[in-house]
Amino acid sequence: MDVNAAVAAVAAIVGVLTGVIAMLAFRWSEREQKRPTRSSLHTDAVLPPGVDTVLSVLRSSAVVLDEADAVVKASSAAYALGLVRGGKLAVEPMLQMARDTRRDGEIRQVELDLPRRGTGRGEALAVSARVAPLGSRLVLLLVEDLTEARRIEAVRRDFVANVSHELKTPVGALSLLSEAVMDASEDPEAVERFAGRMQIEATRLTSLVQELIDLSRVQNDDPLEDAEPVRVDELVAEAVDRCRHQAGAKQITMAAGGAADLHVWGNRGQLAAALGNLVENAVNYSPARTRVGIAARRVNAPGGEHIEIAVTDQGIGISDKDKERIFERFYRVDPARSRATGGTGLGLAIVKHVAASHGGEVTVWSAEGQGSTFTLRLPEAGAARDRAQQQPARDERAGSAGLDEEAGRSTLTSPESTAYETLPAPEVLP
């Protein structure tokens, strides 16, 4: 019995100790649960009710700082911009603004240029920062990315300046020539000479205004609203006929060839203007007694079969530094030569917009002194029509390819992939 009593006593003691330990563990667990964690301290317990929800739906980058300048809350956009690193606000001017606002309670706003992370090119990130007190202890920082807005504004400003300059040149020339005609009213030969120059400048002015209208139209209109199957050989014939006079004056041979019975789906007028601009450029920038070729073929692509229309010349070629900019508005490889040929610098920009709005692209291969090959790639009529019927509500692809893509870049391709010599023998056109 003594042994049993001892065992019972030990068991009782063990049970009491187990109960005490369990009770202590339970109370410790409750205390830990009630103690605010770092995340709850920074959001639920510290932020005023509803602020966390409001910050999560703001388009601006949001950062909330406490009295020790520690980040209480930061949106994902703030991390993406590099504003917050290691739980601290990484931009010193913004941090100083937050301290000043915490001290006097005044709302502050400033625009800053921040280094862009990860580019290695020193590009600036334009932001607008606004700091305001949030309660008695916190400070709210809202940062708006202005980089894209500034870029678009710069594009528009440059466009207006370029248009003004391009219009001013022929208008000024017409004014001077008209005065010369008046002064030489008694000299028939001089009047005839000045009148000829006036016709040239008037033609240049008319071409510039028309290309501005065409560029505006291709940017704002959806060419697939009134789309139809367009025969490629008819587009080629129209482009050749458009440039026949210029080619004949320089004794340039025009050659058309490639696969027959090809169709693309789109706006006939815009497609004819785009191809005509490519052929006209080829003629204008080619030396006398050379050859310009236009050819079409069908190629397989991931999105379906496409039609490639290649325009190849034996002209002066394009340098590597100019290839990245030739599709910009008013950009000309050789401004002096462009004045001689009457170019406005808008032709390739129109081609680019037409190709993009039709779901295609324009690419270029060129080497200085060896000529150039511009290739217009468009979806074939059947595949493009099917996609248009499946997606009647199209996005504003043509508009975004306009001002927002002003610094448009050309895609370099090898001459073997686009040169017309790889296609069936072309038909020589006089």
Side-chain angles (χ1 to χ4, degrees):
M1 289 297 295
D2 294 339
V3 174
N4 292 335
V7 171
V10 171
I13 294 172
V14 171
V16 171
L17 292 176
T18 301
V20 171
I21 293 173
M23 183 177 62
L24 292 175
F26 177 75
R27 291 193 174 183
W28 179 83
S29 176
E30 280 189 334
R31 186 179 303 169
E32 287 297 317
Q33 291 179 359
K34 291 181 180 180
R35 178 181 299 173
T37 61
R38 182 176 182 180
S39 58
S40 64
L41 179 65
H42 287 173
T43 56
D44 299 336
V46 176
L47 290 179
V51 173
D52 192 14
T53 303
V54 172
L55 295 182
S56 64
V57 298
L58 287 178
R59 297 183 60 182
S60 303
S61 303
V63 181
V64 179
L65 303 175
D66 61 14
E67 63 274 11
D69 292 335
V71 175
V72 175
K73 177 73 176 180
S75 64
S76 57
Y79 286 99
L81 289 178
L83 304 179
V84 178
R85 300 176 190 172
K88 295 289 185 179
L89 186 61
V91 182
E92 184 61 31
M94 295 182 186
L95 187 59
Q96 186 60 46
M97 286 175 57
R99 291 168 180 168
D100 295 340
T101 297
R102 186 185 301 112
R103 184 181 64 253
D104 54 26
E106 292 186 3
I107 298 176
R108 289 174 168 81
Q109 184 170 352
V110 68
E111 292 188 3
L112 301 171
D113 291 333
L114 307 179
R116 191 187 296 269
R117 299 178 60 189
T119 62
R121 294 180 292 179
E123 296 181 353
L125 188 70
V127 298
S128 174
R130 185 179 179 87
V131 181
L134 185 64
S136 59
R137 300 165 52 195
L138 304 180
V139 173
L140 172 63
L141 171 67
L142 296 178
V143 179
E144 188 76 21
D145 188 357
L146 304 179
T147 307
E148 187 66 14
R150 283 192 179 180
R151 188 187 69 82
I152 294 175
E153 180 61 29
V155 167
R156 290 175 176 168
R157 185 171 56 252
D158 292 344
F159 179 70
V160 172
N162 287 329
V163 169
S164 302
H165 174 73
E166 294 294 335
L167 290 174
K168 182 179 178 180
T169 301
V171 169
L174 287 173
S175 177
L176 293 175
L177 288 170
S178 64
E179 292 179 4
V181 169
M182 294 178 62
D183 294 338
S185 57
E186 298 180 358
D187 187 350
E189 293 183 0
V191 170
E192 183 178 358
R193 183 171 67 255
F194 292 143
R197 289 296 306 170
M198 291 177 67
Q199 288 183 343
I200 294 175
E201 295 299 333
T203 301
R204 179 175 301 175
L205 181 60
T206 302
S207 299
L208 175 59
V209 173
Q210 184 59 50
E211 289 196 347
L212 286 172
I213 294 173
D214 294 340
L215 183 60
S216 176
R217 183 179 295 116
V218 299
Q219 287 179 183
N220 298 325
D221 296 345
D222 185 354
L224 301 185
E225 288 183 356
D226 301 319
E228 60 178 339
V230 181
R231 290 180 60 90
V232 174
D233 55 356
E234 293 180 358
L235 294 177
V236 173
E238 186 173 340
V240 170
D241 187 65
R242 168 179 167 179
C243 304
R244 191 181 301 274
H245 176 71
Q246 297 96 309
K250 300 173 66 174
Q251 300 182 13
I252 293 177
T253 302
M254 304 283 287
D261 197 26
L262 299 178
H263 295 75
V264 293
W265 182 258
N267 184 290
R268 178 184 178 84
Q270 292 189 13
L271 293 173
L275 184 58
N277 285 343
L278 291 180
V279 177
E280 186 174 12
N281 274 1
V283 172
N284 288 338
Y285 287 91
S286 293
R289 293 179 294 279
T290 55
R291 173 186 172 111
V292 171
I294 311 101
R297 65 176 180 178
R298 181 184 291 107
V299 295
N300 294 324
E305 292 187 333
H306 282 61
I307 303 300
E308 283 189 349
I309 308 174
V311 179
T312 301
D313 62 62
Q314 298 172 327
I316 59 176
I318 305 171
S319 65
D320 291 338
K321 67 180 181 65
D322 290 320
K323 288 176 185 176
E324 298 296 327
R325 301 191 60 190
I326 56 175
F327 292 104
E328 295 180 20
R329 300 171 185 176
F330 299 108
Y331 184 81
R332 286 171 285 197
V333 175
D334 187 352
R337 187 181 182 91
S338 296
R339 285 193 296 269
T341 59
T344 63
L346 291 174
L348 291 180
I350 293 175
V351 175
K352 172 193 166 186
H353 286 297
V354 171
S357 63
H358 283 75
E361 63 176 347
V362 57
T363 60
V364 59
W365 173 89
S366 184
E368 291 187 270
Q370 301 182 28
S372 305
T373 297
F374 285 85
T375 302
L376 185 62
R377 174 179 291 187
L378 301 166
E380 195 172 14
R385 180 177 52 199
D386 294 342
R387 285 197 296 272
Q389 292 174 349
Q390 293 172 3
Q391 299 178 353
R394 308 183 63 87
D395 59 6
E396 299 179 359
R397 178 173 50 194
S400 63
L403 291 176
D404 294 346
E405 296 294 337
E406 182 62 26
R409 298 186 175 184
S410 57
T411 304
L412 305 184
T413 59
S414 64
E416 291 81 4
S417 64
T418 55
Y420 65 88
E421 286 84 355
T422 63
L423 302 174
E427 173 190 359
V428 177
L429 301 178

